[in-house]
Amino acid sequence: MRPHIGTLAVMPNNTENYIDEEAEGGANTIPPARFGGNIDDWRIGKGGTMFYRVEVPGAQIVVGDTHAAQGDSELAGTAMETSMTAKLRVTLHKAGSLPTKVATLDFPLLETLDKFVVHGFAYDNYLDQLADPSDIFSEGTSLDLAMADCYIKTRNCMMDVYSLTEEETIALMTTSVDFGITQVVDGNWGVHAGALFSLGNSAQIIFLTSHRLLITFQILTSGFSTRRTHHTITPAQHQSRLVAAVS
């Protein structure tokens, strides 16, 4: 079993574009985008840390869609859906105190115990890119676009951190970065890239900033509600190097 959370998001609560008239100005939590949504990456579980850019003032935090198990792609449309008890730590990072070198972070980033995972989508921000955001359920079914978006984000990220040329970065990506199909069920299809970055200071600062400010979710414990269990991890496991660097 790999208990995890499918939806972790800092949703834009007040935006010109929304899914339909009934949404009354809100955004649908199903299609993922750079603000989060239903990313459905099974790696978002115990001991992981998610980083999101806050898009607008008054953005709302959404957590849900828990799974007992799921494979990459969630091919059949659902995973092993279940109720779950989870303990999260939410940290707000103010942009003014963060390194300007990485002020362009604009995608949901996952830090696990051994790697960073970049998430790309067919449409990076469909709320702005589509005249009718509800069209995402047909327009966003493209792995080609999702792969291209994930590649660009990963390339830019590595170039910014290590001051590499594009040629050097691509050489590293093709030998050490794993790309996979995150999900093909949430309207806006996703591709992720997992890489083991250096744990030195240059790598730590890469993910500490955003356009305005940043929300961090640390998933400290998780368990199935039906069993009323709580899985614990050591402080060393769940202590985020990035949060420590900020504080």
Side-chain angles (χ1 to χ4, degrees), residues 14-219:
N14 300 307
T15 179
E16 293 181 0
N17 292 332
Y18 48 86
I19 294 300
D20 52 40
E21 294 180 0
E22 288 73 24
E24 297 180 351
N28 193 316
T29 61
I30 295 177
R34 69 187 187 197
F35 51 78
N38 202 11
I39 296 176
D40 266 331
D41 185 345
W42 60 262
R43 298 159 188 83
I44 305 175
K46 185 178 66 174
T49 300
M50 285 295 297
F51 297 85
Y52 296 94
R53 186 171 82 171
V54 179
E55 296 279 337
V56 296
Q60 302 296 299
I61 297 174
V62 177
V63 180
D65 189 29
T66 54
H67 301 145
Q70 177 195 310
D72 283 330
S73 83
E74 197 179 4
L75 186 62
T78 61
M80 191 178 291
E81 315 292 328
T82 184
S83 297
M84 187 178 294
T85 298
K87 181 180 180 180
L88 308 176
R89 175 183 291 128
V90 179
T91 305
L92 178 65
H93 305 273
K94 298 296 182 66
S97 61
L98 301 176
T100 56
K101 179 180 179 181
V102 288
T104 57
L105 181 63
D106 60 355
F107 56 84
L109 174 79
L110 168 64
E111 180 192 12
T112 69
L113 297 178
D114 62 353
K115 67 178 60 177
F116 292 104
V117 182
V118 175
H119 295 96
F121 311 101
Y123 286 85
D124 175 59
N125 187 9
Y126 67 93
L127 292 173
D128 293 334
Q129 292 172 290
L130 299 178
D132 182 355
S134 63
D135 288 340
I136 188 62
F137 292 97
S138 58
E139 298 291 338
T141 55
S142 170
L143 288 176
D144 290 346
L145 293 177
M147 177 65 196
D149 183 59
C150 191
Y151 153 71
I152 292 171
K153 290 173 178 175
T154 305
R155 179 200 62 187
N156 293 350
C157 187
M158 295 180 69
M159 290 178 67
D160 288 344
V161 174
Y162 298 110
S163 299
L164 300 172
T165 65
E166 183 176 30
E167 290 77 11
E168 291 170 332
T169 302
I170 293 174
L172 287 173
M173 290 171 62
T174 197
T175 55
S176 61
V177 177
D178 294 323
F179 288 83
I181 301 173
T182 319
Q183 54 76 29
V184 292
V185 299
D186 295 322
N188 199 11
W189 289 6
V191 167
H192 59 269
L196 180 61
F197 292 94
S198 167
L199 300 183
N201 290 334
S202 61
Q204 286 186 16
I205 67 171
I206 178 175
F207 306 121
L208 295 182
T209 189
S210 67
H211 178 65
R212 292 187 179 89
L213 39 80
L214 196 70
I215 283 285
T216 302
F217 291 93
Q218 283 182 277
I219 306 172

Side-chain angles (χ1 to χ4, degrees), residues 199-247:
L199 300 183
N201 290 334
S202 61
Q204 286 186 16
I205 67 171
I206 178 175
F207 306 121
L208 295 182
T209 189
S210 67
H211 178 65
R212 292 187 179 89
L213 39 80
L214 196 70
I215 283 285
T216 302
F217 291 93
Q218 283 182 277
I219 306 172
L220 306 183
T221 64
S222 63
F224 304 115
S225 295
T226 53
R227 298 180 183 176
R228 308 302 300 173
T229 58
H230 296 269
H231 301 285
T232 60
I233 57 177
T234 66
Q237 288 176 311
H238 70 63
Q239 178 62 43
S240 167
R241 292 178 297 275
L242 306 186
V243 174
V246 171
S247 60

